[in-house]
Amino acid sequence: MPTKYTNPILKGFYPDPSVCRKGDDYYMVTSSFEFFPGVPIFHSKDMVNWTQIGHCLNRESQLPLHNVRYSMGIFAPTIRYHEKKDRFYMVTTNITKIGNFFVYADDPAGEWSEPILIDQGGIDPSFFFEDDGTAHFISNAYEGDDPTTGFLMGPIDLETGKFLESPCPVWGGIGESAPEAPHIYKANGWYYQMIAEGGTELGHMETIARSRSLYGPYEACPFNPILTHRHRKNHEIQATGHADLIKDHHGDWWAVFLAYRETHPYFHHLGRETFLAPVEWKDEWPLINGGRAIEFQMRVETNAVTKQSRENSFVTNFTKGLELPFVHLRNPYPGDYRFTKKGLTLNGNSFTLFDEDSPAFLGFRQKDFYTWLEVDFSFFPTVNGDEAGVTVFYKHDAHMDVFIRRDNGQNYLCLRKAVGDIVHMSAYVPVLTDEIMTVTITSDKLKYYFYANIDDAEIYLGEGLTRYVATESHELGFTGTFYALYATGNGKKASAKALFSRFCYRPAL
């Protein structure tokens, strides 16, 4: 029956999606890079309505991130369900610390195992489970570091992570740049190897090949690429690629993949998001959306999709502890955070938003262009350098901050903008009260607008361009913007604690 749904199905910084199914339950994971906990996991019954149920990596023993550079850490996870073991496996790369590894869980909403390391390089690893239960591991490691030899794949022991035979090269793509994200599928008597090529920018694409044998040789699809917007320069959706395929419990095929929404040509700041499209088959080749453009409003013939909810509002008073939408910047220092009946207390450490370390930081992904954020907090420092507030954060040298800081024996309300090596203080207003302050940030596609309310008086602090927290304004990064709470002592442990008692995010359109 015809059904409509809206893309993206995961809004905001949720790139590199991978999906699996057990019965009529679907589970999806995405990349998390330097943020902790890592690898958010979502559940759905219909492929369009997704609810976060946890993180695969929620312990420092699973996810060491101290001192990793921005956009490093966790790259491109793959999730697979092993029917014979009745167990879920998530395999990924900690690009900075331990390389390729996997974890497993019988309940994907529960605790996942400690990492099992895999002695093969490359990134974007994936598992393929054969009908007899044997497991095969593939990554974009190249034999002798020669990309013409293709990806490396071999049978693996799921108990130890050891290869049972030496991995061998398989298909390497159609010759475009940055071949990565390999996945293997079995359908129609064929093995399919699908990869991403062209780089995760405007040239991004998905290509595919098939073979009657798991280890090849593979023949490339004559319709490649089976997904791309590289020739659609005026389309608001760009960089489509890094896909994963799944057959639903009704027998229909789907693709989840990343793309981003441009604010204006060549700029995006929300990050790479998760999109969904049906898969059509032509001469036993899969074509994502039949080779047509991916749209925001999709109309499909399916029995799987039900009515889609687009509720993105989120309100908390922080009395329930650390809630799932929030993440830290790298591994948190536990003494910096305390959840009480009054709200969240942040006790700033010596690190700041400008450091590639772990300041006291709690971030929420911006999901919409048009937003309204309100944060209630109280902070009355008595030691010079103590600082706390709210930030629009992309990375250490790309953020816009509303905060209170003590300088020269006086507290000031400030708006600061950091763009590369340029730091500009746009507002610097003396504050004489210790009453609760409300910080309000609104946004549209092109600008953020910053306000504060103290003693029922609203203060307009200024505005900032969204393109200054966009990937294209900086050295290539892979994340997106966050609305975050933070505190710091600016080189020392802060003496005063900041209390955040309300966080309210909602789309403004």
Side-chain angles (χ1 to χ4, degrees), residues 269-490:
H269 64 286
L270 298 187
R272 299 168 302 158
E273 304 173 289
T274 293
F275 285 66
L276 174 74
V279 173
E280 301 174 18
W281 291 85
K282 181 179 179 180
D283 300 334
E284 296 186 330
W285 290 104
L287 286 174
I288 298 174
N289 204 35
R292 299 178 296 274
I294 306 301
E295 304 295 349
F296 291 119
Q297 301 299 322
M298 300 288 288
R299 182 180 177 88
V300 297
E301 293 284 340
T302 179
N303 293 311
V305 175
T306 58
K307 185 176 180 180
Q308 185 180 21
S309 170
R310 301 297 289 172
E311 177 58 49
N312 275 325
S313 298
F314 184 84
V315 180
T316 184
N317 58 10
F318 298 107
T319 58
K320 299 177 182 178
L322 182 63
E323 296 173 80
L324 280 177
F326 289 100
V327 291
H328 302 288
L329 183 56
R330 305 177 183 87
N331 299 121
Y333 296 107
D336 297 345
Y337 306 84
R338 188 182 177 202
F339 295 93
T340 71
K341 293 181 179 180
K342 293 182 178 181
L344 166 67
T345 297
L346 289 185
N347 189 9
N349 59 43
S350 62
F351 300 113
T352 74
L353 297 177
F354 296 87
D355 295 318
E356 290 186 280
D357 208 294
S358 303
F361 175 104
L362 203 61
F364 180 94
R365 290 165 172 85
Q366 184 183 346
K367 301 174 185 293
D368 307 274
F369 290 134
Y370 296 86
T371 67
W372 183 283
L373 177 76
E374 286 187 339
V375 176
D376 293 344
F377 84 109
S378 57
F379 182 59
F380 198 77
T382 58
V383 175
N384 289 339
D386 283 5
E387 172 183 322
V390 184
T391 177
V392 177
F393 186 87
Y394 173 57
K395 61 190 185 78
H396 65 285
D397 59 357
H399 47 92
M400 305 178 194
D401 322 313
V402 177
F403 60 93
I404 291 176
R405 186 173 70 197
R406 190 165 186 87
D407 289 330
N408 300 314
Q410 170 67 56
N411 292 339
Y412 293 90
L413 170 64
C414 309
L415 171 62
R416 176 181 59 208
K417 293 180 279 189
V419 184
D421 63 351
I422 301 171
V423 179
H424 175 65
M425 195 75 79
S426 298
Y428 196 67
V429 181
V431 176
L432 301 176
T433 180
D434 60 355
E435 295 297 315
I436 292 176
M437 173 188 299
T438 298
V439 171
T440 302
I441 303 174
T442 65
S443 69
D444 54 35
K445 278 189 174 184
L446 302 182
K447 289 183 179 181
Y448 294 98
Y449 306 87
F450 301 92
Y451 307 82
N453 189 297
I454 305 175
D455 293 332
D456 295 323
E458 183 175 84
I459 303 171
Y460 174 67
L461 299 172
E463 61 188 47
L465 297 176
T466 61
R467 70 171 180 260
Y468 290 143
V469 286
T471 295
E472 292 76 15
S473 292
H474 303 274
E475 183 182 354
L476 179 64
F478 304 119
T479 62
T481 48
F482 285 79
Y483 286 137
L485 319 176
Y486 80 97
T488 178
N490 281 295

Side-chain angles (χ1 to χ4, degrees), residues 260-269 467-468 470 472-473:
Y260 59 70
R261 293 177 278 166
E262 287 189 332
T263 53
H264 47 299
Y266 309 113
F267 283 89
H268 79 284
H269 64 286
R467 70 171 180 260
Y468 290 143
E472 292 76 15
S473 292

Side-chain angles (χ1 to χ4, degrees), residues 110-164:
E111 291 292 309
W112 290 67
S113 73
E114 288 297 300
I116 299 175
L117 305 187
I118 302 172
D119 188 17
Q120 179 165 298
I123 59 171
D124 299 3
S126 184
F127 280 137
F128 172 72
F129 300 143
E130 190 51 285
D131 295 337
D132 62 3
T134 57
H136 303 263
F137 173 86
I138 184 172
S139 71
N140 77 334
Y142 307 118
E143 190 176 47
D145 294 323
D146 179 2
T148 63
T149 62
F151 296 68
L152 288 181
M153 182 167 66
I156 198 168
D157 182 348
L158 289 176
E159 300 301 318
T160 66
K162 303 296 183 184
F163 282 103
L164 301 175

